[in-house]
Amino acid sequence: MTTPTQTPDVEVGPFWVSNSPKALLVDQLVELSRPGRTTPAFAFALHVGGLNARRERDFVTAMRRADVVYADGGSVVWLARLAGGDSIERTPTTDIGWEVLSGFAARVGRLPRVALIGGPEGLANRARAVLESAGAADVVHVDHGFHDDWSAPLARLRAADPDITVVGLGAPREMVWCEDHRAELPPGLVMTCGGWFGHLVGDERRAPRVLRRSGLEWIARVAQAPTRLGPRYARGLGVTAALTVTTLQRRPRSASPRS
């Protein structure tokens, strides 16, 4: 998964993660979303929820077949740097989602046509209102994430012909869903977003900037939803510790941790 404009990916557990800095990553995603593609390109975020699911075969397969996997979590950045990543930066979808939309508009000369898939009934439509009122996107399709049969919803999605399809079903489900429906998704960029829709509409709040910059945003997230997120992050601490040991064992003796 490398091109002449990006640095080699770095190994994090069973995954390969982009070693690109944030600006270069955004530029790559904008390029993948430009009109003219005949097949979808997949960009998946990796954070502690994904690390927790590292032994789920369908999820790992989906991640390995993605065009881009980027570090949405501080634990992923930590492990990538231990593995030799010298350019990687934390790139939360809640930040770069906006940058990909504005980058598309600057490069193509019009607003991106966007589809929003996921969440309970009504959430994607509320997120559409936020994006359109901000002048960030022309949202051409919305749908919730709880269909038993996706045949008709996917047909409507393809008919809408989006440049960017944003999938918010939660990890690892959203990546497996993308892989399961790879042949049915429209051309353009397909980007997973976790809980971005909830952040857009204000159901969830971003952490203070000092926590975001230090990679400790998870503290604020747990404080907002301790029952739902507390066990995830507690498990993630153990998983990160275990992966730290295996990463250090695998790293060549001549390598040193990146700061």
Side-chain angles (χ1 to χ4, degrees):
M1 293 191 297
T2 61
T3 72
T5 60
Q6 67 181 115
T7 54
D9 294 346
V10 63
E11 192 173 5
V12 175
F15 312 108
W16 288 92
V17 181
S18 172
N19 187 32
S20 301
K22 180 180 177 182
L24 183 56
L25 175 70
V26 170
D27 187 68
Q28 182 185 4
L29 298 183
V30 170
E31 186 64 27
L32 290 174
S33 68
R34 290 183 65 175
R37 293 191 61 89
T38 58
T39 58
F42 296 89
F44 296 160
L46 181 62
H47 48 61
V48 69
L51 295 180
N52 289 347
R54 73 196 187 283
R55 292 195 172 97
E56 296 183 22
R57 181 177 300 178
D58 290 349
F59 172 58
V60 173
T61 297
M63 295 291 279
R64 287 180 173 175
R65 282 171 54 83
D67 295 87
V68 180
V69 174
Y70 59 92
D72 191 326
S75 55
V76 178
V77 174
W78 159 257
L79 292 167
R81 289 177 176 168
L82 281 181
D86 56 357
S87 301
I88 192 169
E89 295 178 345
R90 182 169 178 256
T91 48
T93 308
T94 45
D95 293 336
I96 67 168
W98 290 101
E99 296 181 35
V100 170
L101 297 179
S102 62
F104 179 100
R107 189 167 302 181
V108 178
R110 62 168 172 81
L111 293 181
R113 294 169 55 84
V114 173
L116 305 176
I117 309 293
E121 189 78 47
L123 178 59
N125 208 40
R126 293 165 59 205
R128 168 177 32 195
V130 173
L131 292 175
E132 291 189 334
S133 66
D138 174 17
V139 181
V140 296
H141 180 80
V142 298
D143 210 339
H144 66 80
F146 295 95
H147 293 284
D148 293 324
D149 182 355
W150 282 94
S151 302
L154 285 167
R156 293 192 294 269
L157 172 61
R158 289 193 302 273
D161 191 28
D163 302 300
I164 301 171
T165 300
V166 185
V167 182
L169 304 176
R173 181 187 171 210
E174 58 195 9
M175 293 80 174
V176 175
W177 182 91
C178 288
E179 179 62 22
D180 287 346
H181 298 290
R182 172 181 285 266
E184 304 163 89
L185 290 166
L189 178 64
V190 178
M191 185 175 181
T192 57
C193 74
W196 190 37
F197 298 166
H199 283 283
L200 284 174
V201 303
D203 290 350
E204 296 186 50
R205 300 184 306 276
R206 291 301 305 274
R209 185 176 297 274
V210 64
L211 292 181
R212 300 203 303 268
R213 294 184 63 181
S214 60
L216 298 176
E217 188 169 3
W218 63 271
I219 295 174
R221 296 202 67 205
V222 171
Q224 292 182 62
T227 302
R228 179 170 65 89
L229 295 179
R232 174 199 289 185
Y233 284 105
R235 181 184 176 195
L237 287 173
V239 169
T240 301
L243 288 174
T244 295
V245 172
T246 58
T247 299
L248 289 171
Q249 290 172 340
R250 185 172 59 239
R251 193 179 64 199
R253 292 183 181 277
S254 58
S256 60
R258 310 286 179 168
S259 58

